[in-house]
Amino acid sequence: MKPIQAGLLGAGTVGSGVLNVLKRNQEEIKRRAGRGIEITMVADLDTARAQALAGPGVQVVKDARAVIANPEIDIVIELIGGYGIAKQLVMEAIDAGKHVVTANKALLAVHGTEIFAAAHRRGVMVAFEAAVAGGIPIIKALREGLTANSIEWIAGIINGTTNFILSEMRDKGLDFDAALKDAQRLGYAEADPTFDIEGVDAAHKATIMSAIAFGIPVQFDRAHVEGITKLAAQDIRYAEQLGYRIKLLGITKRTPKGVELRVHPSLVPAKRLIANVEGAMNAVMVQGDAVGTTLYYGKGAGSEPTASSVIADLVDITRLHTADAAHRVPHLAFQPDQMSDAPVLPMSEVVTSYYLRLRVADQAGVLAKVTGLLAAAGISIDAMLQRPAGEAQEAGDAKAVPQTDLIILTHNVREGTMNEVITQMQGLPTVLAPIVRIRKEELA
Amino acid sequence: MKPIQAGLLGAGTVGSGVLNVLKRNQEEIKRRAGRGIEITMVADLDTARAQALAGPGVQVVKDARAVIANPEIDIVIELIGGYGIAKQLVMEAIDAGKHVVTANKALLAVHGTEIFAAAHRRGVMVAFEAAVAGGIPIIKALREGLTANSIEWIAGIINGTTNFILSEMRDKGLDFDAALKDAQRLGYAEADPTFDIEGVDAAHKATIMSAIAFGIPVQFDRAHVEGITKLAAQDIRYAEQLGYRIKLLGITKRTPKGVELRVHPSLVPAKRLIANVEGAMNAVMVQGDAVGTTLYYGKGAGSEPTASSVIADLVDITRLHTADAAHRVPHLAFQPDQMSDAPVLPMSEVVTSYYLRLRVADQAGVLAKVTGLLAAAGISIDAMLQRPAGEAQEAGDAKAVPQTDLIILTHNVREGTMNEVITQMQGLPTVLAPIVRIRKEELA
């Protein structure tokens, strides 16, 4: 049988990984797929570089539309990124009846509904294992491996840059800015790291996993997105003393009222496996009603790890394109006419627990006032820690009033209620600085 | 479209889990699969119990062959276990043109070649996600998620009973016998725990993973199988002091000479994620040339976790049975005519590193003799520890000769060479007890 032919749009970091791995392992991949898989055409603005990467047998063009127009091409691999031209090209490839493989999480989290609907109408597949958690086959696990389950929640470290920064902050006691500089110097963070450090990249991925887990449309605009830029070294240290680590988690959870979809720094018990995922590694926990807790770990980015997922999608398409379209794996795990309309909840309706740090005047009655406000709102306390403010190692702390840090871990409470109590606490004259609030997930 | 119909052979622990989960989540599973999946017939010797489990609408019979003979049944689920009647029934189901789902690792590790060949000839699928690591979708990850990779090695905690026992030994300083009793009392070990504690169950699973990873036939008879019954509490403690934990690992590795396939207790660096997998949980590390290190974690046994994998197979079959047979996922990941004849290496050809514990006379020159033998064989030392023999907490240690424990970690060496050196060491008059040897895996 003649090889299945793919065309590559974008020969950057991941694209070159796809070319290299497909070349290096072509025999082994063919022995698995039952059919050769060849990239016969590449579109990239830098044609000379792309030709050198792809080798002499491959046609290299500047115009991506020439790839889509080629009737020999069965699969179009989109590795351009972003919402702009990438979206147009993906839609055109679908219109042309091509299967599409993409690593573009931003595109799918924002325009997935339109793209999957078009693919469904045209009877083609849009595969995107590489869009979430790089080389970890988490889309496959969710969409196929755990189909027996009612998924209860997912919590993942799905951005390597921020996990690297948080690991540096913890290991070396660094503040965020210093750790970011380290990450940039070592190539773990880009020159403009906004999408990573503000949680946007993680939210794209969480949005996609949420849709697959619960059969809801992708709704990036409903996700709560909060990055790690405001984290202080002292909170990482206090968390440690309480038996927790701070990770940037992408979380989605099924509740009776709707679906939680949120990205923010979270305290996680240090004994959980996921709390021990260090550096730029990724890990995703999935809780299913039948299987219980499962976890998937690996490299979340990089040329060849991401290429590993792109090529797995090529093999899947090679296998599945002979199945009748109604029985292929649905794009979002559920059949398109069987999606749920469960709403994504506003953050005020999320129920979780909290770490609070209050800089207070070191005088009698302060603790009673603070805990009184919590009690009045029905919020119970899980643990507490009081530390001399000096331990905060902040410059210019020598104030007239003796100060102390009060760290409180709460049990579960609705975020709206927590917000009200924080406002009340902040109004106390003995609370001397903005209250720090970090959410806490037990993941049990 | 009318539901796909499955018949269940064996309504024991896993069978009842399959019935329960399929009932509880039937709507959600149908929304994913695009078609209902129903168990319409159950065979079990205890028909009354089976009928109560399956509910009134399900036909319950004593004779498994009545299920296979039913022309309405598309899929036969074999949950009887063992090599005997289970093998006959699986072969008969294949002959009858039924797809088969099984959790029977022993059967596949020993008779897989015959079974898969028959299924291939008949054009049916034999699915077995539940046979390895319970609810963890590791077969899917290996066969589909990592198809881009040349797999380098796999190392897994794939037997929950032994991992529970080892966790107890470490946490409570227990010896093997006491920890086994705990495990039996708590239901983590069977009354006859031989298959688990002697490593046989883990070797069945490692055999299956090895075949899938490297495209070789299942060869359980070539696996090196060593259990945990000889482990002493003191070795767990010494390992800890050197920064390692002891786990029963199923390991398979590709080498230029052939494939390593072995199950034995292994020292693992304590900082590795897999070293922190506690209790009855399972985890499998897979190293691929493109993706790097990945890890998959979850419950390796139990009613509903195992049912999760059985049902995922049912959904897969519902999807894939419409694909032409040549393009379905091959049973052992590689097309049947593309298997490798790489040999499984004898244990003497395995290259790894070692933990050695020598009880020696506490006198001058002993260490020089021992390390001299290692040096002469070209074995370099990674770390060493000397401890008073009293720390071993053994009864009746008050001997005439002062004794000491010498613990040596080596770098990599061929096992045949290591065996020769151990024999030489054992011959030294200053070595006073049988030398303890445990293999060490860095998993880096």
Side-chain angles (χ1 to χ4, degrees):
Chain A
M1 188 180 281
K2 83 179 182 43
I4 198 160
Q5 294 192 30
L8 175 63
L9 313 185
T13 305
V14 178
S16 65
V18 172
L19 289 165
N20 289 337
V21 175
L22 210 47
K23 217 176 295 175
R24 186 172 75 231
N25 293 343
Q26 63 177 330
E27 272 313 302
E28 197 150 343
I29 292 167
K30 185 181 174 182
R31 287 171 56 211
R32 291 193 175 102
R35 188 172 172 189
I37 298 175
E38 287 180 5
I39 291 180
T40 53
M41 211 170 166
V42 175
D44 196 281
L45 294 181
D46 188 343
T47 51
R49 190 176 155 281
Q51 191 75 65
L53 279 167
V58 177
Q59 188 186 350
V60 175
V61 295
K62 273 199 177 164
D63 179 12
R65 292 192 167 90
V67 175
I68 295 171
N70 183 340
E72 299 293 314
I73 299 280
D74 304 298
I75 307 170
V76 171
I77 307 168
E78 183 275 306
L79 297 175
I80 296 168
Y83 315 102
I85 182 70
K87 186 188 170 199
Q88 291 176 38
L89 294 171
V90 164
M91 295 302 283
E92 289 175 25
I94 291 168
D95 283 345
K98 312 293 187 190
H99 301 293
V100 173
V101 176
T102 178
N104 193 334
K105 56 221 78 166
L107 177 63
L108 295 179
V110 174
H111 299 292
T113 301
E114 182 185 349
I115 289 168
F116 297 137
H120 182 66
R121 279 195 306 273
R122 197 63 177 79
V124 296
M125 290 174 266
V126 175
F128 52 93
E129 182 64 79
V132 181
I136 307 172
I138 184 65
I139 299 296
K140 187 168 279 287
L142 285 170
R143 263 194 347 189
E144 306 175 40
L146 301 176
T147 43
N149 292 267
S150 178
I151 307 283
E152 295 169 353
W153 52 260
I154 298 173
I157 295 172
I158 45 182
N159 180 273
T161 302
T162 45
N163 202 54
F164 179 86
I165 291 171
L166 292 174
S167 298
E168 289 279 293
M169 289 176 73
R170 174 174 161 263
D171 288 352
K172 304 183 179 164
L174 297 178
D175 265 313
F176 171 77
D177 290 332
L180 171 60
K181 286 213 178 67
D182 271 11
Q184 286 174 316
R185 191 170 44 79
L186 295 166
Y188 289 110
E190 294 180 45
D192 177 359
T194 314
F195 259 42
D196 293 316
I197 62 177
E198 295 295 358
V200 178
D201 175 74
H204 286 146
K205 296 164 182 169
T207 298
I208 295 171
M209 290 199 289
S210 180
I212 291 175
F214 306 124
I216 59 172
V218 287
Q219 295 166 71
F220 174 69
D221 55 331
R222 309 292 291 274
H224 173 84
V225 188
E226 202 178 311
I228 62 167
T229 56
K230 289 172 198 149
L231 278 182
Q234 72 196 75
D235 292 311
I236 292 178
R237 204 168 51 247
Y238 288 145
E240 197 86 12
Q241 292 170 15
L242 289 158
Y244 291 83
R245 299 213 176 135
I246 298 181
K247 295 290 183 186
L248 182 71
L249 292 185
I251 297 170
T252 186
K253 190 182 282 187
R254 182 202 301 259
T255 82
K257 288 184 181 175
V259 171
E260 297 181 5
L261 174 54
R262 48 195 172 99
V263 170
H264 51 70
S266 307
L267 272 75
V268 179
K271 65 187 172 196
R272 298 270 177 276
L273 226 45
I274 199 169
N276 296 283
V277 170
E278 299 291 353
M281 300 303 284
N282 278 202
V284 180
M285 287 178 81
V286 182
Q287 182 81 15
D289 70 335
V291 76
T293 301
T294 60
L295 178 142
Y296 310 84
Y297 165 89
K299 288 187 179 145
S303 175
E304 294 208 353
T306 312
S308 173
S309 286
V310 169
I311 296 171
D313 279 347
L314 294 175
V315 174
D316 269 2
I317 289 175
T318 304
R319 286 170 174 161
L320 276 172
H321 79 116
T322 68
D324 75 281
H327 281 92
R328 294 177 192 152
V329 183
H331 289 111
L332 292 178
F334 293 80
Q335 302 292 327
D337 60 351
Q338 296 290 324
M339 299 292 279
S340 156
D341 57 1
V344 174
L345 297 173
M347 200 57 198
S348 60
E349 291 302 317
V350 161
V351 173
T352 187
S353 56
Y354 296 85
Y355 162 103
L356 305 174
R357 173 167 57 85
L358 297 85
R359 171 66 52 90
V360 295
D362 192 6
Q363 63 192 46
V366 174
L367 187 56
K369 281 214 177 97
V370 166
T371 55
L373 289 173
L374 287 165
I379 302 173
S380 60
I381 294 173
D382 180 35
M384 212 161 55
L385 192 66
Q386 188 174 332
R387 283 285 181 271
E391 199 179 316
Q393 296 173 340
E394 284 173 5
D397 251 4
K399 302 257 174 64
V401 189
Q403 303 184 357
T404 190
D405 274 348
L406 206 57
I407 296 100
I408 299 171
L409 301 186
T410 76
H411 283 299
N412 272 353
V413 51
R414 204 180 60 91
E415 175 134 335
T417 306
M418 188 76 254
N419 288 343
E420 286 162 24
V421 176
I422 289 175
T423 305
Q424 291 164 9
M425 287 173 168
Q426 197 70 71
L428 295 173
T430 47
V431 172
L432 305 173
I435 295 170
V436 172
R437 177 261 305 275
I438 307 173
R439 296 172 192 90
K440 172 168 84 69
E441 308 293 328
E442 291 296 328
L443 303 178
Chain B
M1 188 179 280
K2 82 178 184 38
I4 198 161
Q5 294 192 30
L8 175 63
L9 312 186
T13 306
V14 178
S16 64
V18 172
L19 289 164
N20 289 338
V21 175
L22 210 47
K23 217 175 296 176
R24 186 171 75 233
N25 293 343
Q26 62 178 331
E27 272 313 303
E28 197 151 343
I29 292 167
K30 185 180 174 182
R31 286 171 56 211
R32 290 193 176 103
R35 187 172 172 188
I37 298 175
E38 287 179 5
I39 291 180
T40 53
M41 210 170 167
V42 175
D44 196 281
L45 294 180
D46 187 343
T47 50
R49 189 176 156 282
Q51 190 75 64
L53 279 168
V58 177
Q59 188 187 352
V60 175
V61 295
K62 274 200 176 159
D63 179 11
R65 291 193 166 89
V67 176
I68 294 170
N70 183 339
E72 299 294 313
I73 298 280
D74 304 297
I75 307 170
V76 171
I77 306 167
E78 183 275 305
L79 297 175
I80 297 168
Y83 315 100
I85 182 72
K87 187 189 169 198
Q88 291 176 39
L89 294 171
V90 164
M91 293 301 283
E92 288 175 25
I94 291 168
D95 283 346
K98 313 291 188 193
H99 301 292
V100 173
V101 176
T102 177
N104 193 332
K105 57 221 77 166
L107 177 62
L108 296 179
V110 175
H111 300 291
T113 301
E114 182 185 348
I115 290 167
F116 297 137
H120 182 66
R121 279 195 306 272
R122 197 64 175 78
V124 297
M125 288 173 268
V126 175
F128 53 93
E129 182 64 79
V132 180
I136 307 172
I138 183 66
I139 299 296
K140 187 169 278 288
L142 284 170
R143 266 196 341 191
E144 305 175 41
L146 301 176
T147 43
N149 291 266
S150 178
I151 306 283
E152 294 170 353
W153 52 262
I154 297 173
I157 295 172
I158 46 182
N159 180 273
T161 303
T162 45
N163 202 54
F164 180 86
I165 292 171
L166 292 175
S167 298
E168 288 279 294
M169 289 176 73
R170 174 173 162 263
D171 288 353
K172 304 184 180 165
L174 298 178
D175 265 314
F176 172 77
D177 291 332
L180 171 61
K181 286 212 178 68
D182 272 11
Q184 287 174 317
R185 190 170 43 78
L186 295 166
Y188 288 110
E190 295 180 44
D192 177 358
T194 313
F195 260 41
D196 292 316
I197 62 176
E198 295 294 359
V200 178
D201 175 73
H204 286 146
K205 296 164 182 168
T207 298
I208 295 170
M209 290 198 289
S210 180
I212 290 174
F214 305 124
I216 58 172
V218 287
Q219 294 167 70
F220 174 69
D221 55 333
R222 310 293 292 274
H224 173 85
V225 189
E226 203 178 312
I228 62 167
T229 56
K230 289 171 197 150
L231 278 182
Q234 71 196 74
D235 292 311
I236 291 177
R237 202 167 55 246
Y238 288 145
E240 196 88 10
Q241 292 170 14
L242 289 158
Y244 291 83
R245 298 208 177 139
I246 298 180
K247 295 291 184 186
L248 182 71
L249 293 185
I251 296 170
T252 187
K253 190 182 284 189
R254 182 202 301 259
T255 81
K257 287 184 180 174
V259 171
E260 297 181 4
L261 174 54
R262 48 196 171 99
V263 170
H264 51 68
S266 307
L267 272 74
V268 179
K271 64 186 171 194
R272 298 269 178 277
L273 226 45
I274 198 168
N276 295 283
V277 170
E278 300 291 353
M281 301 302 284
N282 278 202
V284 180
M285 287 178 83
V286 182
Q287 181 82 14
D289 71 333
V291 75
T293 302
T294 59
L295 178 142
Y296 310 85
Y297 165 91
K299 287 186 180 147
S303 175
E304 293 208 353
T306 311
S308 173
S309 286
V310 169
I311 296 171
D313 279 346
L314 294 174
V315 174
D316 269 1
I317 289 175
T318 304
R319 286 170 174 162
L320 275 172
H321 79 116
T322 68
D324 75 278
H327 281 92
R328 294 174 191 154
V329 183
H331 290 110
L332 293 178
F334 293 80
Q335 301 293 327
D337 60 351
Q338 295 292 325
M339 300 290 280
S340 156
D341 58 359
V344 174
L345 296 172
M347 200 58 196
S348 59
E349 290 303 316
V350 161
V351 174
T352 188
S353 56
Y354 296 86
Y355 162 103
L356 304 174
R357 174 168 57 85
L358 295 84
R359 171 67 52 90
V360 295
D362 192 4
Q363 63 191 49
V366 173
L367 187 55
K369 280 213 178 98
V370 166
T371 55
L373 288 173
L374 288 165
I379 302 172
S380 59
I381 294 172
D382 179 34
M384 213 162 55
L385 193 67
Q386 188 175 333
R387 284 285 182 270
E391 199 180 317
Q393 298 173 339
E394 285 174 2
D397 251 3
K399 302 260 174 59
V401 189
Q403 301 184 358
T404 189
D405 273 348
L406 205 56
I407 296 101
I408 299 171
L409 301 185
T410 77
H411 283 299
N412 272 353
V413 51
R414 205 180 58 91
E415 176 135 333
T417 306
M418 188 77 254
N419 288 343
E420 286 161 25
V421 176
I422 290 175
T423 305
Q424 291 164 11
M425 287 173 167
Q426 197 69 72
L428 294 173
T430 46
V431 172
L432 306 172
I435 295 170
V436 172
R437 178 262 305 276
I438 307 173
R439 295 172 194 91
K440 172 168 85 67
E441 309 293 329
E442 290 296 327
L443 304 178

